[in-house]
Amino acid sequence: MIVIDKNKLTDLLDALNQSYQVIVPAKSADLTQFMPYDAVKEKNAEIILNENTVLSPKWLFLPQSEGMYAFWAKNKKLEIVDLPSDLEKMRIVFPVRHCDVQGIACLDKVFLDERHVDGQYLEKREKTVVMALMCNNPKDSCFCASMGVDRAHANNTVADVQVYDLGSEYAFEALSDKGQQAVEAIKALGSEKTVAVPEVKEQKIKVNIEGLPEKLSGMFYDSIWDSFMFKCIGCGTCAFICPTCYCFDINNKIRGEEGVKLRTWDSCMFDEYMLMAGGHNPRPGKKERVRNRFLHKLEYFYENYQMMLCTGCGRCLRKCPMNVDIVKFINQANAK
Amino acid sequence: MKVANTDEIKRSNDLEPMVGKIVEILEESTDVKTFRISTLDDKKPFSPLPGQLGMFSLPMVGEAMFSVTNQGENYIDMAIKKTGELTDALHDIEVGQEIGIRGPYGNGFPLDYLKGKDIVFIAGGIGLAPVRSLIMHCIKNRADYGKLTIIYGARSVDDLCFKDDLFNNWPKVENCQVYVTIDRPQEGWDGHVGFVPDYIKEIAPNPQIAIICGPPVMIKFSLPALSGLGFAGDDVITTLELRMKCGIGKCGRCNIGHKYVCLDGPVFTLTQLNEMPNEY
Ligand SMILES: Cc1cc2nc3c(=O)[nH]c(=O)nc-3n(C[C@H](O)[C@H](O)[C@H](O)COP(=O)(O)OP(=O)(O)OC[C@H]3O[C@@H](n4cnc5c(N)ncnc54)[C@H](O)[C@@H]3O)c2cc1C
Ligand code: SF4
Ligand code: SF4
Ligand code: FES
C-alpha cells in the first residue's frame, strides 16, 4: 500500500487534479456535499473529511436534473439529437464512505441491469474513479454494519481504490486498473508500506435484517403501517438525501422550437406520483406511500436484486423533519 | 439478474425515442383515433408481440404509453383516447406529422400458453385496444387457435371502437363469434343493450381462456361472472394500466410490490394478480 501523510492532503488533491477532475466532500452554503475540488478552491469552501455529508454522492451518477436528448420541432417536422457528453476528463471522487459505495452498488443494479443498460449512467460510472474510505468515526445514527456493509473492505464491484485512515496518514490500495492508475499519480507523495487494517469503532445502532424480506412479504396488510404513516408530511427529503433512492421523472425544458428532455429526481413520497386519469391513485394516502418506500428498500429490491436498498447511512434518521425512523420500523417489524 | 459489463461507452439512452411519422389516422369513435406509425424511411418502428407497448411522444408536449393495437409489414397502430394534455394534442395532429416513438415494452400475451385453446375476449371501451392486438394475431395465425369469442361493450354506439372489425371483418373469420353491447338503448341500434358482465352471463361462454381488459368497474363485476362459469385463476388473463414514465423498470413509477407493470406486465393472470398487493 502507498502511505501518505495527511499533512500532504493539498498536494495529493493537486496532484490528482492535474489529470482528473477531483470531487471532494465539502461544506458549501451550510450544506455538506460532494463538490468539484476546483469549486472548493474558488469558493474557499471547507473540505469535510471527518463526517459523512448531508447530501450523498449519488448525483455524480444520477444528477438531480440531467439532459437526455435535445429536440427541435416545427410544424410537422421533428428532429431528435444526442447531447454531447458533459464529462471531459476522468473524475476521481475522494473519499467515499463504504455506505455510499454500497449506495452506488445499488444504483448499478438498476441502471446497469442488462435488460436495459443506461448508457448515460454507464458513461459516468466508467469515467469515475471511486476512492473508498474505511471510516472509523461513525455517527450515532450510522448503522451500515447492520445492513451488510463491510466496514473494513468496501464493495469492490464499485470501489477502485481502498483507502484506510491510519490516524495521521492515509493508506491507498488499488482494487482495479483505473484505481491503479490513480494510485500511480500520487505514489511520489508517500512510500510503499505494509499496513494492518485498522480497528473500527462499533456502531451504536444495531438492527437485525436476517429473514426480514421474507417476513415483510407477509406484512403488507399489517397494522404496523398505521403507526408509521401519520407523521410523514410527504416532503421527499428522505428520498433526495438517500444514496439509493433513484426514482425519476421525465420532463422538458423548452425554448421556442427547441427543447431538451430531462430526467429529474422524483420521490414515491409525493402524493401525485402515481395519480391517474379520473383521479384514481393506487397509493392515495401517506400510509401507502410510506409503506412503499420501506418495502421497496427492505423487501421488493431484495426480491429483484438480492440486496437491500438501504445502506444504513443514517441520513434519513438525521434529516427527516418528522422523525420517520427506518431503524425503529425494522425493530418493530422484527418484534411482530 | 446480471449487471451489464461492457467496455463500449455509449451516450445513447433507451429513453431516447426514434423519429417516426404518422401515415394514416382513423376516427374510431367520438374520442378515440387510431394512429398508423412508420419510420421516416417507411419501415416498421419495431415488431411488438401482441399485448406489448410503445411510448409515443410529441416531445414539445409529452410522452405516454399505449398498447400497440395492430401491426403490418411497415407500420404499427395505436388507438388513443383523448383524456388530457398529450392525447388532446395528438388528436389535433395530421398525417405526415413526425413524432417520437420507442419500444416495444412489456411482456405481451403468453402465446405458447394460448396456442390451440378456445379464447373468449372481453373488452370495454378503449380496453379493446390491447385485446385487439391478440385478436389480430389469432386471426393471422388462425390454425394455431381454437374458437374465438369476442364480447365488447361501450357506453353508446358513438363510443364503440374498431367498428369495421366488429361488424365487417371479425364476423367473417372462421369459427369466430362477435357480441357487441351498448349500455343504454339508442335510436337506430337493434343490437344488444346492457352491461358487459351481464352479457357474459347471458352468453355463458365455455372456452378455456378469458382475456379481459376494460375500465375497473367492468373488470370488478366480470370476474365473478367468469368464475361462476368455471374459469380458474390461470384461465383469466388481463392487462393492467398504471402511470408510466420510463417503460423500462427504472423510474420506479409503476411498481406493484416488486413487480413493474412496464417490465413484468402489463399482462398478468388472475392468479398472479391475487398474489400481488392490491395497489393498482
Ligand atoms: C400499459 C398501458 C397501456 C395503455 N394503453 C392505452 C391505449 O391503448 N390507448 C389509450 O388511449 N390509452 C392507453 N393508456 C393510457 C394512456 O397512457 C393515458 O391515457 C395517457 O398517458 C394520458 O396522457 P395525457 O397527457 O393525454 O394526459 P395527462 O394530461 O397527462 O393526464 C390526464 C389524466 O390522465 C392521468 N394519466 C397520466 N398518465 C396516465 C396513464 N399512464 N394511465 C392512466 N392515467 C394517466 C393523469 O394523472 C391525469 O389525471 C395506456 C396506459 C398504460 C400504462
Ligand atoms: S419520511 Fe420524513 S423525510 Fe421522508 S417524506 Fe416523510 S416527512 Fe419527509
Ligand atoms: S433509507 Fe435512510 S439510512 Fe437507508 S440508505 Fe437511505 S438515507 Fe440512508
Ligand atoms: S414506467 Fe418507469 S418503472 Fe415502469
Side-chain angles (χ1 to χ4, degrees):
Chain A
M1 280 183 238
I2 301 297
V3 175
I4 299 175
D5 200 292
K6 282 187 181 176
N7 289 332
K8 291 192 183 152
L9 181 69
T10 311
D11 297 339
L12 188 154
L13 296 176
D14 285 336
L16 289 173
N17 215 30
Q18 303 215 327
S19 28
Y20 298 88
Q21 184 195 30
V22 177
I23 316 277
V24 288
K27 191 170 187 169
S28 173
D30 259 352
L31 200 61
T32 52
Q33 56 187 308
F34 284 80
M35 289 166 63
Y37 179 52
D38 286 333
V40 168
K41 283 192 291 190
E42 203 177 292
K43 291 183 187 163
N44 237 330
E46 183 192 353
I47 295 180
I48 303 288
L49 294 171
N50 59 353
E51 62 177 58
N52 208 357
T53 48
V54 169
L55 299 184
S56 86
K58 82 173 164 195
W59 70 267
L60 290 167
F61 309 103
L62 187 67
Q64 181 154 12
S65 177
E66 173 180 32
M68 296 193 295
Y69 53 90
F71 53 89
W72 169 90
K74 190 179 181 187
N75 301 330
K76 289 186 177 178
K77 291 276 162 224
L78 171 66
E79 266 176 48
I80 291 177
V81 287
D82 288 350
L83 291 167
S85 168
D86 45 9
L87 296 185
E88 287 148 31
K89 273 184 175 179
M90 278 289 278
R91 299 185 297 189
I92 200 159
V93 45
F94 166 82
V96 184
R97 281 148 201 267
H98 291 194
C99 54
D100 287 346
V101 172
Q102 182 80 352
I104 301 168
C106 291
L107 299 180
D108 281 358
K109 291 285 183 196
V110 178
F111 292 97
L112 302 182
D113 184 324
E114 61 177 9
R115 292 174 294 180
H116 289 282
V117 176
D118 188 294
Q120 284 179 244
Y121 179 88
L122 179 64
E123 185 196 26
K124 293 189 178 63
R125 283 283 286 112
E126 300 213 328
K127 286 195 181 169
T128 307
V129 180
V130 175
M131 286 195 166
L133 175 69
M134 189 198 97
C135 88
N136 20 17
N137 51 336
K139 287 198 173 192
D140 287 353
S141 46
C142 293
F143 59 105
C144 67
S146 298
M147 297 310 290
V149 173
D150 183 337
R151 295 192 56 209
H153 308 277
N155 187 321
N156 64 6
T157 64
V158 172
D160 297 296
V161 177
Q162 176 72 60
V163 185
Y164 297 104
D165 186 342
L166 305 178
S168 57
E169 295 161 316
Y170 284 124
F172 295 81
E173 179 185 16
L175 302 177
S176 70
D177 289 347
K178 63 182 176 179
Q180 185 63 47
Q181 277 178 15
V183 173
E184 290 295 324
I186 52 173
K187 217 162 91 180
L189 294 170
S191 55
E192 178 81 44
K193 272 187 210 157
T194 5
V195 297
V197 174
E199 292 279 317
V200 288
K201 237 197 270 153
E202 279 219 35
Q203 291 175 333
K204 274 200 180 151
I205 298 179
K206 293 195 182 71
V207 289
N208 178 14
I209 57 162
E210 213 182 298
L212 186 64
E214 294 76 12
K215 178 147 200 199
L216 290 175
S217 71
M219 288 178 65
F220 189 85
Y221 301 101
D222 197 276
S223 60
I224 191 167
W225 306 111
D226 296 316
S227 52
F228 272 89
M229 62 143 202
F230 68 93
K231 288 196 292 184
C232 173
I233 52 169
C235 66
T237 302
C238 52
F240 282 15
I241 58 174
C242 177
T244 70
C245 274
Y246 59 83
C247 287
F248 60 82
D249 192 6
I250 295 178
N251 39 41
N252 290 327
K253 192 168 72 189
I254 293 175
R255 211 195 295 140
E257 294 156 4
E258 294 172 344
V260 175
K261 202 53 97 168
L262 303 166
R263 70 166 156 208
T264 51
W265 290 354
D266 202 348
S267 169
C268 64
M269 300 301 261
F270 295 141
D271 55 359
E272 286 187 0
Y273 184 72
M274 279 189 111
L275 191 64
M276 309 222 311
H280 176 58
N281 191 337
R283 291 199 280 268
K286 292 185 285 186
K287 172 174 158 181
E288 292 81 9
R289 295 194 282 273
V290 171
R291 176 171 62 191
N292 186 66
R293 177 174 152 86
F294 282 172
L295 288 184
H296 188 206
K297 300 217 162 284
L298 306 170
E299 180 203 341
Y300 304 156
F301 196 80
Y302 187 86
E303 285 194 47
N304 289 336
Y305 297 110
Q306 294 75 55
M307 174 175 192
M308 291 293 198
L309 192 63
C310 169
T311 71
C313 74
R315 285 187 175 87
C316 59
L317 304 189
R318 297 192 283 273
K319 289 292 167 195
C320 171
M322 304 308 290
N323 296 319
V324 175
D325 184 334
I326 193 167
V327 168
K328 211 158 148 193
F329 171 76
I330 295 173
N331 287 332
Q332 286 191 15
N334 278 330
K336 283 259 174 181
Chain B
M1 273 157 241
K2 272 183 277 164
V3 154
N5 175 16
T6 162
D7 291 335
E8 192 184 295
I9 298 175
K10 293 173 292 165
R11 277 290 295 171
S12 81
N13 193 316
D14 279 359
L15 299 171
E16 182 173 327
M18 70 172 101
V19 177
K21 66 178 176 200
I22 304 296
V23 293
E24 209 180 317
I25 300 174
L26 291 175
E27 306 250 354
E28 300 289 354
S29 72
T30 39
D31 57 2
V32 177
K33 285 184 183 179
T34 295
F35 298 85
R36 183 154 290 182
I37 304 158
S38 294
T39 61
L40 294 183
D41 54 354
D42 296 308
K43 300 217 168 67
K44 173 143 74 169
F46 47 81
S47 292
L49 296 167
Q52 279 192 311
L53 310 163
M55 269 286 185
F56 187 2
S57 58
L58 290 173
M60 285 288 178
V61 188
E63 185 174 42
M65 193 68 103
F66 302 95
S67 314
V68 179
T69 188
N70 188 26
Q71 56 187 307
E73 191 74 349
N74 56 358
Y75 62 84
I76 57 170
D77 284 343
M78 289 179 166
I80 297 179
K81 184 175 163 133
K82 206 172 153 150
T83 57
E85 209 185 329
L86 173 68
T87 49
D88 284 356
L90 285 175
H91 273 246
D92 287 338
I93 66 176
E94 294 167 4
V95 168
Q97 175 71 48
E98 295 178 358
I99 52 89
I101 184 84
R102 56 187 177 92
Y105 299 131
N107 56 356
F109 290 104
L111 297 179
D112 287 341
Y113 180 67
L114 299 175
K115 235 179 195 162
K117 294 187 174 136
D118 294 346
I119 306 172
V120 57
F121 302 90
I122 301 163
I126 186 69
L128 186 52
V131 173
R132 181 168 173 258
S133 63
L134 182 58
I135 299 177
M136 292 306 217
H137 174 85
C138 293
I139 292 174
K140 280 175 203 157
N141 303 275
R142 191 66 198 89
D144 290 345
Y145 300 90
K147 182 177 180 189
L148 307 179
T149 308
I150 297 158
I151 304 174
Y152 177 56
R155 274 184 317 234
S156 71
V157 175
D158 288 342
D159 291 306
L160 293 169
C161 297
F162 313 112
K163 292 189 189 68
D164 201 29
D165 285 334
L166 292 169
F167 301 116
N168 297 323
N169 303 333
W170 294 344
K172 291 190 195 125
V173 173
E174 192 199 329
N175 200 13
C176 174
Q177 295 238 271
V178 184
Y179 300 90
V180 180
T181 182
I182 58 171
D183 289 357
R184 268 172 288 279
Q186 190 177 335
E187 208 165 309
W189 173 254
D190 54 6
H192 189 275
V193 175
F195 296 115
V196 168
D198 299 328
Y199 203 20
I200 298 174
K201 287 188 226 160
E202 206 177 308
I203 299 163
N206 188 17
Q208 290 153 293
I209 300 281
I211 308 283
I212 179 164
C213 184
V217 289
M218 187 202 91
I219 307 264
K220 191 174 159 204
F221 292 106
S222 296
L223 292 180
L226 288 171
S227 60
L229 292 166
F231 285 85
D234 288 337
D235 305 336
V236 179
I237 297 173
T238 186
T239 87
L240 291 185
E241 219 182 282
L242 280 186
R243 194 82 183 262
M244 292 186 180
K245 289 278 177 181
C246 72
I248 54 176
K250 303 208 192 301
C251 76
R253 189 80 37 162
C254 71
N255 77 300
I256 303 175
H258 73 280
K259 292 216 177 351
Y260 289 92
V261 175
C262 66
L263 207 58
D264 307 300
V267 176
F268 295 99
T269 65
L270 189 56
T271 307
Q272 288 173 315
L273 280 193
N274 288 340
E275 283 163 4
M276 283 151 63
N278 67 351
E279 272 190 348
Y280 47 87

